[in-house]
Amino acid sequence: PGAVFEKEKIKIAEFAAEEKIKIVVAGTIDMRRRDYNQVFELLDKCNAVQLPVVVTLLGGYYGEEGKKVLANCKKYSLNHDNLTFYDGDVVDQPEFDRVMNDVHFVWIPSVIKTVLQDDVTEVYGATISSGNLFDIIKHAKPFIVPAQLQFDSYLNSSSFKYQDADDIIEYLQKFITDPSLYDELKEKALINSENYTIENVRARNKDLFST
């Protein structure tokens, strides 16, 4: 993996009744990697049903398309207070870790097929892996991910796979109705991340190379 789990370095977020659900989309704002139209669609739907959610775009921006997303963020925030973003090209590591520790869910609105360089088509989950999965492992977070994106089966029980924004709305409403469901989910995320401690990764690799 691109990261290992060190329990002593993380904070497990709590979720209580009347609290806003905190969701992070981590990484540089880059339309080649993530579909930010999904972010605005989800926010609009949350507003329509008065679902108490705040989304943080945890990264700077990349290229002209990234600037356009940032401009949309600024326009959206003139009338709403449930989107946080960074007006720059980088977020420093202490701030990144602080936000990651504090959120309830990591959301990966991943594109599936993309071209990153040299006109080569990549497929997320097949020919290329999302770095957000390593953030999820490192910080032991439940996560929300497109149904088409493939990832390590060790993480399945702390994931929610969606087809569209309505699926995400329905899923999040369950935690507003019964916050104790989040306690169960975060324990699954912790157990799943423990598969990626240095010791467990070494043990699996030893078994792999001995067969």
Side-chain angles (χ1 to χ4, degrees), residues 7-34:
K7 186 175 182 179
E8 67 278 5
K9 294 185 178 181
I10 69 161
K11 169 191 171 186
I12 304 298
E14 302 294 332
F15 180 66
E18 308 303 323
E19 184 178 1
K20 289 184 177 181
I21 299 174
K22 290 175 282 190
I23 299 173
V24 69
V25 179
T28 301
I29 297 175
D30 186 345
M31 289 292 289
R32 301 173 304 167
R33 301 177 186 275
R34 287 169 283 274

Side-chain angles (χ1 to χ4, degrees), residues 25 31 33-46 55 57 107-112 144-148 162-166 168:
V25 179
M31 289 292 289
R33 301 177 186 275
R34 287 169 283 274
D35 182 358
Y36 291 90
N37 294 323
Q38 292 185 33
V39 174
F40 292 105
E41 181 183 6
L42 179 67
L43 286 168
D44 287 340
K45 288 180 178 293
C46 287
V55 175
L57 303 185
W107 179 20
I108 310 177
S110 179
V111 300
I112 302 302
I144 300 168
V145 63
Q148 304 95 320
Y162 68 91
Q163 294 288 350
D164 55 34
D166 289 329
I168 301 176

Side-chain angles (χ1 to χ4, degrees), residues 101 106 170 208:
N101 280 334
V106 175
E170 184 178 351
L208 176 65

Side-chain angles (χ1 to χ4, degrees), residues 35-148:
D35 182 358
Y36 291 90
N37 294 323
Q38 292 185 33
V39 174
F40 292 105
E41 181 183 6
L42 179 67
L43 286 168
D44 287 340
K45 288 180 178 293
C46 287
N47 295 335
V49 298
Q50 298 183 323
L51 186 64
V53 164
V54 59
V55 175
T56 297
L57 303 185
L58 187 56
Y61 64 86
Y62 171 83
E64 291 302 315
E65 291 298 317
K67 286 183 180 180
K68 291 178 183 178
V69 174
L70 185 61
N72 288 337
C73 290
K74 293 177 179 179
K75 181 178 179 181
Y76 176 89
S77 295
L78 292 175
N79 298 307
H80 304 90
D81 63 358
N82 57 348
L83 175 64
T84 300
F85 56 93
Y86 294 81
D87 191 356
D89 57 2
V90 68
V91 173
D92 63 35
Q93 194 64 46
E95 174 67 3
F96 187 92
D97 289 339
R98 181 193 69 79
V99 174
M100 286 295 298
N101 280 334
D102 192 48
V103 299
H104 300 115
F105 292 94
V106 175
W107 179 20
I108 310 177
S110 179
V111 300
I112 302 302
K113 291 186 177 181
T114 189
V115 176
L116 298 177
Q117 59 184 5
D118 299 330
D119 295 324
V120 176
T121 299
E122 302 279 9
V123 180
Y124 268 101
T127 66
I128 190 172
S129 179
S130 171
N132 293 146
L133 292 168
F134 306 135
D135 297 325
I136 288 161
I137 290 168
K138 180 179 177 181
H139 294 275
K141 294 296 178 181
F143 64 105
I144 300 168
V145 63
Q148 304 95 320

Side-chain angles (χ1 to χ4, degrees), residues 172-185:
L172 296 177
Q173 285 174 327
K174 296 177 182 179
F175 299 97
I176 298 298
T177 303
D178 185 0
S180 68
L181 292 175
Y182 188 76
D183 292 332
E184 299 171 12
L185 187 61

